[in-house]
Every structure is written in C-alpha cells, then in structure tokens.
Amino acid sequence: MTATTTGLPGLALTARRTTSPGMTDGAVRTWLRLEGLAAFVAGLALFVATGGNWLLIVPLILVPDISAAGYLAGPRVGAFVYNAFHTWLPGIVTLGIAAWLGSSTVVLAAAILIAHVGMDRAAGYGLKLPTSFQDTHLGRMGRAKA
C-alpha cells in the first residue's frame, strides 16, 4: 500500500506504508513515542533521585528484555510474555507497592521498569503483535515485508 504525504508545501512525497491491523502511524505514533521519551526521562530522574547508582542503569535497564525468551515457545506466547513486561502496568504497580512499603529499593525497581518501557517506546519498539516479533503497535521493526 502506498500513501502520499506532503513534506513541504507544493511537494508531494510517496512513501510505502508498513502498517497492518493493530499498528499505528502518523501523528499518533509520534505522540506515543514522545510519551515514551517523557517516561524514560522521568524513570531515570526517579532512579537518580532515589539514590540509584548511575553505573547500574545500563545493566538494569536491559533486564526486562529477558522476557523475549518467551518467543522460544512461539510468536503468540512470546508476544504475551514480552508484553506483560513492556506495558506501563508493572512499573506503576511496583511504584504503588514501593509507596505502600516505603521502600526505596522497590522504587528503584519501579523506576527501571518505567524507564525501560519509555526507552523502548521512544525508540519505536512497541507492544508485540502475535504475528511476529517485528510487528508492534508502533509499526513494523526492521525491514518492511515484501
């Protein structure tokens, strides 16, 4: 499917659309990515404000990606397991538990979860569709299907 977009007044550009059911594009995709960037920054700020060690950010922020191991059981199971760790729910619930317990250690875990999801969204990695690891709600990752 092709779509015509206008880059500059009077200039029509033709672009190949790589969206399918469940994917978003255009301004909505941009807003979701900006939302992700804001959450990433907020998660990092919370991590630092709570006393988190900057040296631990890189290894800790990659921990939620272990959920991609669900793809060993196939794309449907993989998408479910991956998405369970890549929505806002785990980070927000963990943050609520941290407030209830008054635990700064649990706040650090919540900050990492929130920052990770935000980082993924800002980079264009969305929730996985059951069709393929590359199919996300923010569009197809990698090369477009032929």
Side-chain angles (χ1 to χ4, degrees):
M1 173 191 307
T2 58
T4 302
T5 59
T6 304
L8 298 171
L11 178 63
L13 303 172
T14 302
R16 190 119 183 107
R17 296 186 76 185
T18 57
T19 59
S20 60
M23 295 180 186
T24 188
D25 63 358
V28 172
R29 184 176 194 273
T30 301
W31 281 111
L32 290 172
R33 291 184 70 182
L34 288 171
E35 174 186 70
L37 179 61
F40 175 60
V41 171
L44 291 181
L46 181 60
F47 185 84
V48 171
T50 309
N53 184 338
W54 275 103
L55 294 175
L56 294 177
I57 287 177
V58 173
L60 290 176
I61 206 161
L62 298 175
V63 168
D65 282 336
I66 293 170
S67 63
Y71 278 91
L72 295 172
R76 200 168 279 287
V77 171
F80 179 83
V81 173
Y82 185 91
N83 290 343
F85 289 90
H86 285 81
T87 66
W88 301 115
L89 185 64
I92 292 170
V93 167
T94 304
L95 191 57
I97 291 169
W100 180 59
L101 295 174
S103 171
S104 60
T105 302
V106 180
V107 170
L108 292 172
I112 287 295
L113 287 167
I114 291 166
H116 179 88
V117 173
M119 175 184 70
D120 276 5
R121 295 292 196 289
Y125 301 117
L127 295 172
K128 305 299 182 187
L129 302 179
T131 52
S132 166
F133 182 81
Q134 287 81 18
D135 294 340
T136 77
H137 83 289
L138 294 177
R140 182 153 176 89
M141 298 178 346
R143 296 181 186 202
K145 285 184 180 177

